[in-house]
Amino acid sequence: MVEKEEKKLTIEDLPGVGEATAEKLRENGYDDIMNLAVASPKDLSELSGIAEGAAIKIIAAARKSADIGNFETGEQILQRRKDVMKLTTGSKNLDELLGGGFETQSITEFFGEFGSGKTQIMHQAAVNATMSEEQGGFDCDVLIIDSENTFRPERIIQMSKGKDLDPDVVLKRIHVARAYNSHHQILLAEKAGDLAKEFPIRLMIVDSLTSHFRSEYMGRGSLSERQQLLNRHMHDLLRFGTVNNAVIAVTNQVSARPDVFFGDPMAPIGGNIVGHTATFRVYLRKGKAGKRIARLIDSPYLPEGETVIQLSENGILDGV
Ligand code: GTP
Ligand code: MG
């Protein structure tokens, strides 16, 4: 396990931040030290009405206390990598494609069109995470941020039975939060750490990562704001994964790219921000009779490749 972080300082612990300043900062969304540490002085000053000089000092103090910009030795990173665990997807084919399954301390993204099986794969991951380590699980609790209202306990029951698990036990270990809009979704991810203090959460699912952002920030004018928020959100997720040695699994839709005339014109939402922060990206395409073709894209150390899985009443299986 990764050492639990945080002697949890609040923004009032920073030099130069009194009660009044803290209030102004909080009102404008700078509610913890990490948010301040990654803020730009100009934004901070404009948004919260603090002089730019003061903003620079507050940010510098936040960076110091948040350990931003600290170097780790290769040995430390190797040690952290040794804690990495793999969670089975339910399909041996898909596990192999991913180098053994969903990896902790990373974000794994499934993208594809409607009905391609993203939500099914997330339900299966939730069930599998509750299994013992010998069975490929983590014997852990699961957190699901459900932004599309597609979590179905009935599917969890079916999939649990498919694995000879007691559905009541599995359901008790899955904690679901509906996200009503993108800000709510961001907030839920930030608060996930609190739940992890109460329950051993080693899998966090966000289904879907991008749909609220996509519908709320339409048009070119709001694109950069959308990307900034998505970036912050993904880094919150990644931090949760690192601190808790947890798998982060997210889903993403595709949109047609008007600029592509040859090959596959479908591209995942979220552009470079999502692409660069997700460690593993899997593209799902529909095949015949519940078959789905999963393609690994852009992995840092695994070869690109394809495999076939089968959606069934019992859950995700190998395709043949
Ligand atoms: P969007 O969220 O709409 O973008 O789609 P998605 O990629 O999340 O699709 P989802 O995972 O909901 O997949 C739906 C597909 O799963 C259905 O079209 C079915 O093929 C399959 N499926 C869902 N439930 C069952 C089931 O109980 N039995 C079988 N055999 N297939 C199922
Ligand atoms: Mg879905």
Side-chain angles (χ1 to χ4, degrees):
M1 271 295 280
V2 176
E3 213 175 282
K4 290 256 188 241
E5 62 152 21
E6 279 162 309
K7 353 163 214 343
K8 211 46 184 175
L9 295 173
T10 65
I11 59 175
E12 281 91 347
D13 294 316
L14 297 173
V17 180
E19 226 170 274
T21 308
E23 197 173 322
K24 278 190 221 164
L25 292 171
R26 285 223 165 80
E27 274 169 15
N28 291 289
Y30 298 104
D31 49 3
D32 76 12
I33 289 178
M34 189 54 83
N35 291 347
L36 281 172
V38 299
S40 90
K42 193 159 168 291
D43 287 353
L44 191 61
S45 147
E46 274 174 15
L47 277 172
S48 46
I50 295 168
E52 197 161 328
I56 292 173
K57 282 189 192 140
I58 290 172
I59 290 170
R63 287 192 179 155
K64 202 166 160 207
S65 116
D67 274 355
I68 285 210
N70 277 4
F71 291 92
E72 282 183 296
T73 62
E75 191 189 13
Q76 284 167 324
I77 294 172
L78 182 65
Q79 187 50 49
R80 188 145 47 76
R81 296 286 309 161
K82 280 190 189 148
D83 294 330
V84 164
M85 293 170 64
K86 313 273 177 133
L87 169 67
T88 181
T89 62
S91 151
K92 280 205 177 64
N93 291 346
L94 187 53
D95 285 352
E96 250 167 55
L97 188 74
L98 290 170
F102 289 98
E103 202 175 277
T104 60
Q105 304 180 30
S106 298
I107 298 178
T108 303
E109 172 199 357
F110 281 85
F111 69 95
E113 65 171 327
F114 68 92
S116 58
K118 305 180 292 291
T119 296
Q120 301 304 309
I121 292 174
M122 296 301 119
H123 278 68
Q124 186 74 62
V127 170
N128 292 355
T130 69
M131 300 191 305
S132 68
E133 286 183 31
E134 298 82 70
Q135 291 171 290
F138 291 166
D139 189 13
C140 72
D141 282 35
V142 178
L143 172 55
I144 301 183
I145 298 180
D146 179 10
S147 70
E148 302 191 309
N149 199 17
T150 51
F151 175 75
R152 293 289 173 273
E154 296 82 1
R155 277 304 274 151
I156 298 293
I157 293 172
Q158 287 173 332
M159 290 176 176
S160 301
K161 288 180 181 159
K163 293 278 180 195
D164 285 327
L165 300 170
D166 179 347
D168 292 334
V169 174
V170 175
L171 283 169
K172 281 201 184 79
R173 303 193 81 173
I174 302 179
H175 310 259
V176 186
R178 241 340 264 291
Y180 291 96
N181 56 51
S182 63
H183 277 280
H184 188 204
Q185 185 175 323
I186 289 171
L187 196 71
L188 287 170
E190 283 175 0
K191 300 282 172 231
D194 295 345
L195 196 70
K197 290 191 184 99
E198 229 178 301
F199 301 98
I201 308 250
R202 314 285 300 283
L203 168 63
M204 166 141 74
I205 290 169
V206 187
D207 184 11
S208 126
L209 175 72
T210 47
S211 60
H212 283 314
F213 291 89
R214 183 190 197 184
S215 61
E216 290 164 29
Y217 298 88
M218 309 258 275
R220 292 229 164 260
S222 53
L223 193 63
S224 74
E225 191 187 351
R226 180 187 90 177
Q227 292 303 84
Q228 246 175 40
L229 286 171
L230 253 178
N231 189 28
R232 182 176 136 200
H233 182 41
M234 289 200 73
H235 280 94
D236 286 342
L237 296 175
L238 196 53
R239 194 150 72 102
F240 182 94
T242 312
V243 170
N244 297 289
N245 196 23
V247 165
I248 310 292
V250 305
T251 69
N252 192 2
Q253 280 86 6
V254 289
S255 69
R257 291 170 49 182
D259 54 325
V260 175
F261 300 103
F262 302 101
D264 197 330
M266 302 306 271
I269 310 291
N272 288 338
I273 296 286
V274 175
H276 289 159
T277 319
T279 314
F280 303 95
R281 313 194 84 185
V282 180
Y283 179 29
L284 290 171
R285 291 195 321 275
K286 288 181 193 167
K288 281 188 189 139
K291 291 200 194 331
R292 297 292 185 271
I293 299 118
R295 179 172 186 80
L296 183 71
I297 289 172
D298 274 357
S299 160
Y301 56 84
L302 294 171
E304 282 210 0
E306 271 191 2
T307 192
V308 182
I309 58 170
Q310 175 78 46
L311 306 180
S312 79
E313 171 153 347
N314 283 343
I316 306 297
L317 306 169
D318 278 337
V320 272

